[in-house]
Amino acid sequence: MEKIYGCNSERPELALREISLADAEFIHALYTGSDFRQGIGDRGITSLQDARDYIEHTIRASYQKHGFGLWLVEHQTVAVGICGLVKRDYLPHPDLGFALLPDYYGQGLARCAAARTLELAREQFQLSTLLAITRPTNQRSQKLLLALDFKPVPAVVDPHTGQTLDTFAWQAEESQ
């Protein structure tokens, strides 16, 4: 995937791009942060090698298998987070995932990246239904999902952790 810019003319400085092994330090910093672990969960990344392995065997493997995955969110060429589509074995549809470094909260960047990801889901990947899952305590993400026209649906249980996750669904609008 080539670099995809902005969600609208107001944010041309925001870009999504595939994550590479060169991004291991950023992935390590993001995934080991306390906000990520509390809001999203522990992905078992504790070292730079763990980050490299996660990039290669999870993120890049998704690009190969599904054509999509999590993308790096850059703001003015600085890595600030991730956003993209994840296909989990226990969900019937791909889900929208996103996370930012705390320094970039409240700037509209997650909303912009998520909105652009929804456009890509509909236009490039022809996906008409997406899900999103959050921990019940992750109110910030839930608020963003509702603003993006996701609707609450019955919760799912993550079979890997046994945790009940609030679940939301999004339907693409019909083309006109």
Side-chain angles (χ1 to χ4, degrees):
M1 176 176 110
E2 61 191 50
K3 200 177 269 195
I4 305 293
Y5 289 93
C7 60
N8 57 40
S9 60
E10 296 170 23
R11 286 241 180 251
E13 73 280 2
L14 184 114
L16 302 175
R17 68 163 174 82
E18 286 189 1
I19 296 169
S20 73
L21 289 175
D23 300 310
E25 285 186 37
F26 173 77
I27 293 298
H28 178 264
L30 178 68
Y31 281 59
T32 59
S34 61
D35 278 19
F36 187 97
R37 289 191 178 202
Q38 290 171 4
I40 296 172
D42 185 346
R43 298 294 185 257
I45 295 174
T46 59
S47 68
L48 277 178
Q49 186 58 50
D50 292 340
R52 287 185 199 97
D53 291 344
Y54 187 81
I55 290 167
E56 190 65 33
H57 301 296
T58 302
I59 295 174
R60 298 209 50 86
S62 180
Y63 302 154
Q64 296 297 316
K65 184 173 183 179
H66 305 293
F68 56 75
L70 292 170
W71 299 301
L72 194 79
V73 177
E74 293 179 330
H75 181 249
Q76 299 176 346
T77 71
V78 175
V80 299
I82 56 171
C83 187
L85 304 169
V86 180
K87 181 62 185 109
R88 299 177 201 276
D89 57 358
Y90 62 93
L91 294 176
H93 302 285
D95 71 284
L96 173 69
F98 52 87
L100 295 179
L101 292 171
D103 288 350
Y104 298 95
Y105 290 177
Q107 298 177 35
L109 300 174
R111 183 180 178 131
C112 179
R116 187 67 173 113
T117 298
L118 294 178
E119 289 174 14
L120 291 168
R122 182 180 60 244
E123 296 167 9
Q124 185 170 337
F125 303 110
Q126 288 78 47
L127 297 171
S128 59
T129 302
L130 291 178
L131 298 174
I133 53 177
T134 70
R135 289 186 170 186
T137 56
N138 192 341
Q139 306 256 325
R140 181 181 289 260
S141 291
Q142 292 171 15
K143 183 178 176 183
L144 175 56
L145 292 168
L146 293 172
L148 293 168
D149 294 325
F150 278 78
K151 307 290 184 231
V153 295
V156 298
V157 175
D158 181 335
H160 307 292
T161 65
Q163 184 175 31
T164 299
L165 300 168
D166 288 349
T167 308
F168 300 81
W170 172 86
Q171 297 289 318
E173 294 179 14
E174 294 292 322
S175 298
Q176 306 203 358

